Amino acid sequence: MTNLGDLEIFASVVTTGSMSLAGRALGFSPAVISKRIKRLEDRLGTRLLQRTTRQISLTEAGQGFYDRVLAILAGLEEAEAYIAGRSAQMQGTLKISAPTSFGRLHIAPHLKAFMQAHPDLAINLVLTDEFIDIVGGGYDLAIRIAELTDSSLVARRLALVRRVLCASPAYIAANGMPEDIDDLRRHTCLPPHNNDPWRLDGPKGALIFRPEGRLITNSSEVVREAVIAGLGIALRSTWDIGPELRDGRLVQVLPAYEGSHSVTLSAVYPSRQFLPAKVRVFIDFLAELYGPVPYWER
């Protein structure tokens, strides 16, 4: 049976990217770290790490082994937390990735209540519109708005995402209201920040429409400001433009068509047999906050 200490050493080497740094963190010399890694590889009968004079990287087998070692170590941490009675009072740091606009509008305003309930838990919230590598980046979980495909990650749906076609009253007054989906081709549209086509659900089922316009940007928030300013028609989530729809700064266009209903708001996290209590509690907090009918839809 593999020595548990060897697993901890292996995980530390991968996390720090250096045998010297891992040794410093664990109180061993680089020579001892190297010897323990070689002993682990000999026991497993495969190479886990590629070593050069400048860097250390995982082999394919090493990556799969690393993912499973993290699950083992996380399970041990959870077991110790349970015995120590720490599950009710979270400790440590919770590292979260979330989309930029959603995180600013619908996570940041609620952090105070969560952190007051768990005063010993620190939050590291990273906002990005890119799909980060959760395991490689050391994240505990990520909040994603997407049509999730099969992966090695576990996903828990927090809420449905409703996306509508919209424009400003000024734009409609100047250009007219589209009468059908094909009519959109004579209008100025605002492509999404990632330039993907619009995947829509309509009266005849699913369809794909590729919007064209003069504004190209890598920022979802720029698209939001552009549609409010009257630069064109956009496909936006109701969590993002709910107030503008209610006060009339935006109007819905072609209400029979909405963004694909398979897109959801989900919490995703590494597949683990034992979910760390701090992750479970935060996901439960968001699920209660958003569901079953999100407050931005009321």
Side-chain angles (χ1 to χ4, degrees):
M1 180 179 294
T2 300
N3 186 296
L4 179 61
D6 289 347
L7 299 185
E8 293 176 321
I9 288 173
F10 170 70
S12 182
V13 169
V14 175
T15 301
T16 61
S18 164
M19 291 193 182
S20 296
L21 292 177
R24 191 178 306 164
L26 298 174
F28 296 120
S29 69
V32 170
I33 296 292
S34 179
K35 182 178 179 180
R36 296 283 288 273
I37 292 294
K38 185 178 185 306
R39 182 175 74 178
L40 179 61
E41 290 177 327
D42 290 343
R43 179 181 294 275
L44 296 174
T46 188
R47 180 175 290 278
L48 301 173
L49 300 173
Q50 296 288 4
R51 308 166 181 80
T52 69
T53 56
R54 294 187 175 182
Q55 65 179 6
I56 292 175
S57 60
L58 286 164
T59 63
E60 182 178 356
Q63 181 65 63
F65 186 68
Y66 175 64
D67 293 343
R68 288 157 178 80
V69 166
L70 287 182
I72 292 170
L73 296 179
L76 288 172
E77 180 182 352
E78 178 71 5
E80 291 176 357
Y82 173 77
I83 295 299
R86 292 174 53 202
S87 293
Q89 186 173 3
M90 303 300 103
Q91 297 181 2
T93 298
L94 183 63
K95 188 175 182 182
I96 309 160
S97 169
T100 303
S101 296
F102 187 86
R104 178 174 56 82
L105 292 172
H106 299 295
I107 295 180
H110 307 292
L111 286 179
K112 180 179 179 180
F114 181 80
M115 297 179 77
Q116 284 180 333
H118 306 286
D120 294 326
L121 181 63
I123 301 292
N124 181 358
L125 177 60
V126 178
L127 299 183
T128 175
D129 291 325
E130 304 301 325
F131 274 20
I132 51 86
D133 177 0
I134 296 178
V135 174
Y139 290 85
D140 293 293
L141 75 153
I143 306 302
R144 289 184 175 168
I145 301 173
E147 181 177 348
L148 296 180
T149 56
D150 292 337
S151 73
S152 61
L153 301 176
V154 177
R156 177 177 170 184
R157 191 178 75 177
L158 300 174
L160 291 175
V161 174
R162 194 164 72 92
R163 295 173 298 149
V164 300
L165 295 165
C166 58
S168 72
Y171 175 86
I172 297 300
N175 299 276
M177 179 68 78
E179 297 180 358
D180 56 44
I181 201 71
D182 290 331
D183 201 18
L184 281 180
R185 302 189 188 283
R186 71 173 183 84
H187 283 268
T188 300
C189 294
L190 298 168
H193 73 282
N194 52 15
N195 211 31
D196 287 340
W198 289 343
R199 300 182 183 275
L200 305 172
D201 284 332
K204 296 182 180 181
L207 63 94
I208 295 177
F209 179 85
R210 185 169 292 280
E212 295 184 1
R214 296 167 53 207
L215 176 64
I216 305 297
T217 176
N218 68 342
S219 169
S220 178
E221 294 191 342
V222 169
V223 176
R224 179 185 185 277
E225 295 305 312
V227 70
I228 294 172
L231 290 182
I233 297 172
L235 180 67
R236 303 299 298 173
S237 298
T238 53
W239 60 257
D240 190 33
I241 57 161
E244 289 75 19
L245 287 173
R246 287 190 290 271
D247 65 23
R249 282 182 288 168
L250 290 175
V251 295
Q252 193 168 349
V253 174
L254 298 174
Y257 295 87
E258 292 189 351
S260 172
H261 296 154
S262 60
V263 172
T264 61
L265 171 69
S266 301
V268 298
Y269 48 92
S271 179
R272 296 174 178 170
Q273 185 178 2
F274 299 102
L275 183 65
K278 61 183 179 181
V279 177
R280 183 186 66 249
V281 168
F282 187 74
I283 293 175
D284 288 345
F285 172 78
L286 294 184
E288 183 177 356
L289 180 65
Y290 301 147
V293 179
Y295 60 79
W296 55 79
E297 291 283 358
R298 299 170 195 164

